[in-house]
Amino acid sequence: KVGQGQGRMADAVKVQGRMAEEFKVNLLLFAAVREKVGQGKLELKLSGGATTVDLLGALLGLHPSLADILPSCALSVNRKYLSTEKVALLAGDEVAIIPPVSGG
């Protein structure tokens, strides 16, 4: 769920049979991704132990129109480009989703 002050951030949720805290990450959206979502910044609430793969799945669930572009996007976490697709996320992480750029 995109967090916009709704509910409590620290609600406990069950993850793989154990209790885990929910946490928020900040998304920065650029170019075509920003246009499809309609804004350049989002706050997304994830379950404890979530990874970048989980984040992309949650974002796709909220914005199905991103299905055609997300697979080709680059990701950075806290201003560092990822060399692998699956990285564990922590509360307050800043994740940028950057679509490919064309032009000449």
Side-chain angles (χ1 to χ4, degrees), residues 6-26:
Q6 304 156 332
R8 291 181 9 175
M9 182 178 114
D11 293 338
V13 293
K14 207 165 197 175
V15 176
Q16 297 177 351
R18 67 187 196 296
M19 295 305 284
E21 296 292 317
E22 288 187 337
F23 65 96
K24 293 180 184 179
V25 295
N26 300 303

Side-chain angles (χ1 to χ4, degrees), residues 29-76:
L29 311 174
F30 295 93
V33 175
R34 179 183 62 232
E35 291 171 16
K36 288 183 180 229
V37 171
Q39 55 191 349
K41 294 182 181 181
L42 285 178
E43 192 174 69
L44 196 66
K45 190 185 290 187
L46 300 170
S47 297
T51 67
T52 49
V53 172
D54 301 317
L55 178 142
L56 292 175
L59 183 61
L60 189 56
L62 292 169
H63 299 281
S65 65
L66 295 174
D68 62 333
I69 195 165
L70 277 184
S72 60
C73 289
L75 294 180
S76 75

